[in-house]
Amino acid sequence: MNLQLLESFGQNYPEEFDGSLDCISLAVTCAFNKYGTLLAVGCNDGRIVVWDFLTRGIAKIISAHVHPVCSLCWSRNGHKLLSASTDNNVCIWDVLNGDCEHKYRFPSPILKVQFHPRNDNKFLVCPMRYAAVLVEIGGKHQCLPLDNDGDLNIVASFDRRGEHIYSGNAKGKILVLDSNTLEIVASFKIAVGSSSATAVKSIEFARRGEAFLVNTSDRVIRVYDSKEVVTCGKDGEPEPIQKLQDLVNKTTWKKCCFSGDGEYICAGSARQHALYVWEKSIGNLVKILHGTKGELLLDVVWHPVRPIIASISSGLVSIWAQNQVENWSAFAPDFKELDENVEYEERESEFDITDEDKSVDLAAEAKQDEEVEVDVVSAEPIAAFCSSDEEYEDETALQFLPMAPEVEDPEDGWGSQDNADALGSGFNNNSGGGGHDSMGMKENEPGSKKRKTSSYDISLDNAPIEDVHPLLQNKANKDKATAASKKAAGRPRK
């Protein structure tokens, strides 16, 4: 994939529906890895389906949880996957072999989990109606400090490099905390008008640049500059760069995200399967993508590198992309598309072995004779895969998953231990096997021992144990409604 060829001079946002991914079970949430080569989809039956996004085929299925998966996050190098389910469990998975490395049990429902952007040994957990928790793998866990108003409806997120944690509450107060010391660095309040506050529903950061967005219950998406927010300090009053909203329908937003380059913002409607795309610099609405009527949106993610959006509704992952127009003249500059056959006039010397009429250009011939050394060994780092403070790509990163071949008529002994060991050693000798990670293959050998899962019970003081996860609340409400309608239908008239 040559990323330089993908940089089009036109718009860099999706324009049309480009197919769907069916995970067999109902999809609930999804997340791209850093390179956009793998898409992890959390399902209603607790499974995590990892799709190879280039081939649009299933690369791996991890039987992760028993209850629905409600949040997913990839580690920076793509080797680990963090998942949360509606049964209050948070797990860390080894993507290559599908083993659970760590399991954390929380007393209350989990709304969101997020790996530290630069440290795979730390992750952030947002329990329902409780302070966010910063967990160190194999170590301690700390609750993030609350604001003086004591509101417990907390949403939190790491910034782009994990230097700060931004947390917001239902009173519209946003705190900026140092991710190491958890000291409050800056804070500000989102006020509607002069007096009333509005609840913070989510905070999302762009992969590039310093911008972040705040989705609030007043149906407005506010875009801020994180540097300006930190500069303003405690009780500051930073002005949003943009305020985005649907002025016509006054839509409430289910999920918001930035494009890979941070230049566009996509928001999914909470009422219907509709995606709104704005340009961040100007704040103008550039596109509305409409899905099937009557469907409700569950999740929206933007591809880290390309102008592609993945959205989830009614159990399917919908892919939205640009309309690719075939331009044959790009391959041959003198190529012409003809509407009808044209009689070709042959040149005098066209099929001669040596062109007698050609004028001799000695300088040009001398240039051709010069040997030009072309460097085919050193690979230049792709700018889209490197952060602005890095020069090189992460060589240990997991970009693709090895896929076992599907054998229609297997021979005797296929799949046995000896055969599998022979296959495994063959894979490891081939270090350049299809762009896959050879180190990862060693881990994935059938002979390797399965690692024991480390389980931890996280105790939170005064946590709301009786609370039901929002995903399950909606299901319970639907069940009640259907039961009520059945009762009403079957009740005899007096």
Side-chain angles (χ1 to χ4, degrees):
M1 183 175 71
N2 194 336
L3 289 166
Q4 289 170 342
L5 291 176
L6 292 171
E7 290 294 324
S8 60
F9 293 104
Q11 65 273 16
N12 263 336
Y13 55 85
E15 292 180 298
E16 61 183 19
F17 178 71
D18 189 34
S20 60
L21 308 178
D22 189 355
C23 300
I24 304 157
S25 42
L26 297 173
V28 178
T29 183
C30 61
F32 279 108
N33 66 346
K34 184 188 171 190
Y35 301 94
T37 51
L38 298 171
L39 176 71
V41 180
C43 298
N44 202 30
D45 58 0
R47 290 192 296 178
I48 298 171
V49 180
V50 181
W51 291 81
D52 186 314
F53 200 71
L54 298 182
T55 61
R56 304 239 179 133
I58 294 176
K60 196 172 196 69
I61 296 177
I62 302 171
S63 297
H65 299 270
V66 181
H67 291 261
V69 179
C70 56
S71 183
L72 285 171
C73 183
W74 289 86
S75 64
R76 181 173 167 78
N77 61 9
H79 282 272
K80 293 178 184 176
L81 198 56
L82 180 65
S83 70
S85 89
T86 54
D87 61 356
N88 311 351
N89 286 336
V90 174
C91 297
I92 296 171
W93 303 91
D94 185 308
V95 178
L96 271 167
N97 53 33
D99 291 345
C100 179
E101 293 186 351
H102 305 278
K103 185 176 183 179
Y104 295 83
R105 294 187 196 90
F106 283 80
S108 53
I110 306 300
L111 299 177
K112 176 190 169 183
V113 286
Q114 186 188 10
F115 263 123
H116 188 292
R118 296 288 171 98
N119 183 356
D120 294 350
N121 291 318
K122 284 183 179 179
F123 62 91
L124 189 65
V125 179
C126 296
M128 192 172 166
R129 295 207 297 114
Y130 200 82
V133 183
L134 182 63
V135 182
E136 206 168 318
I137 295 173
K140 57 184 181 176
H141 68 274
Q142 295 170 280
C143 289
L144 270 59
L146 295 168
D147 189 51
N148 299 332
D149 58 21
D151 189 83
L152 288 169
N153 293 295
I154 301 292
V155 291
S157 176
F158 283 110
D159 67 0
R160 186 164 58 108
R161 292 190 182 141
E163 293 167 3
H164 298 109
I165 300 171
Y166 285 63
S167 77
N169 64 16
K171 301 277 177 71
K173 190 70 180 272
I174 289 180
L175 302 180
V176 184
L177 311 165
D178 186 296
S179 62
N180 294 317
T181 62
L182 297 188
E183 289 179 5
I184 297 173
V185 179
S187 64
F188 67 98
K189 191 164 188 173
I190 298 172
V192 183
S194 56
S195 57
S196 61
T198 177
V200 177
K201 291 167 74 178
S202 66
I203 301 170
E204 302 284 342
F205 279 83
R207 289 176 185 267
R208 301 203 167 268
E210 304 295 334
F212 71 96
L213 65 82
V214 181
N215 177 21
T216 52
S217 55
D218 67 344
R219 305 171 188 188
V220 178
I221 301 163
R222 293 169 175 83
V223 185
Y224 292 92
D225 186 320
S226 56
K227 278 188 176 176
E228 188 194 340
V229 168
V230 173
T231 309
C232 287
K234 292 179 185 177
D235 296 321
E237 293 182 359
E239 279 297 314
I241 305 165
Q242 295 293 348
K243 284 185 180 181
L244 311 171
Q245 59 184 316
D246 179 8
L247 293 166
V248 180
N249 301 316
K250 296 289 180 188
T251 309
T252 50
W253 308 112
K254 175 77 177 175
K255 173 81 191 291
C256 309
C257 59
F258 279 95
S259 62
D261 56 6
E263 292 302 316
Y264 293 92
I265 290 162
C266 175
S269 168
R271 294 182 196 159
Q272 56 183 335
H273 190 179
L275 307 173
Y276 291 66
V277 180
W278 290 273
E279 197 170 347
K280 187 194 75 181
S281 55
I282 309 167
N284 60 321
L285 182 67
V286 290
K287 191 75 182 172
I288 302 176
L289 300 165
H290 290 286
T292 312
K293 278 191 176 181
E295 290 183 350
L296 286 177
L297 200 68
L298 288 176
D299 202 1
V300 181
V301 286
W302 196 305
H303 193 282
V305 182
R306 302 172 68 178
I308 295 174
I309 293 172
S311 65
I312 294 180
S313 68
S314 64
L316 284 178
V317 182
S318 301
I319 307 297
W320 307 85
Q322 280 183 329
N323 181 17
Q324 298 295 335
V325 180
E326 290 180 345
N327 182 9
W328 292 97
S329 60
F331 299 101
D334 55 347
F335 182 88
K336 290 177 185 174
E337 286 191 59
L338 302 174
D339 295 327
E340 56 185 28
N341 290 341
V342 176
E343 197 171 314
Y344 181 67
E345 292 180 9
E346 184 187 314
R347 284 201 326 272
E348 178 82 27
S349 59
E350 186 165 1
F351 296 106
D352 294 355
I353 295 170
T354 54
D355 190 355
E356 296 169 0
D357 304 328
K358 187 177 76 171
S359 58
V360 179
D361 189 354
L362 295 172
E365 283 184 10
K367 277 183 185 177
Q368 280 181 350
D369 291 341
E370 285 179 16
E371 287 187 7
V372 179
E373 283 192 19
V374 180
D375 183 11
V376 293
V377 179
S378 59
E380 288 186 13
I382 300 169
F385 290 163
C386 298
S387 295
S388 53
D389 60 341
E390 294 174 328
E391 287 184 29
Y392 302 103
E393 292 176 50
D394 185 359
E395 291 180 2
T396 62
L398 178 71
Q399 293 191 33
F400 300 96
L401 283 176
M403 293 173 74
E406 290 181 10
V407 181
E408 288 181 3
D409 299 317
E411 298 173 11
D412 293 336
W414 169 260
S416 66
Q417 189 65 38
D418 301 335
N419 206 338
D421 286 342
L423 271 172
S425 60
F427 264 126
N428 285 323
N429 293 336
N430 181 13
S431 58
H436 297 313
D437 193 21
S438 58
M439 285 176 65
M441 282 301 205
K442 286 177 187 173
E443 289 176 33
N444 206 24
E445 277 183 22
S448 61
K449 289 181 182 177
K450 197 171 182 180
R451 189 185 295 177
K452 194 181 177 185
T453 306
S454 309
S455 294
Y456 308 89
D457 282 316
I458 305 288
S459 58
L460 302 174
D461 296 335
N462 302 320
I465 300 166
E466 301 298 321
D467 278 11
V468 183
H469 197 281
L471 273 176
L472 301 176
Q473 275 178 358
N474 295 341
K475 196 177 175 186
N477 292 340
K478 278 183 187 174
D479 291 346
K480 279 181 187 174
T482 50
S485 62
K486 280 177 186 175
K487 278 182 188 175
R491 198 173 291 155
R493 289 183 180 178
K494 288 180 181 177

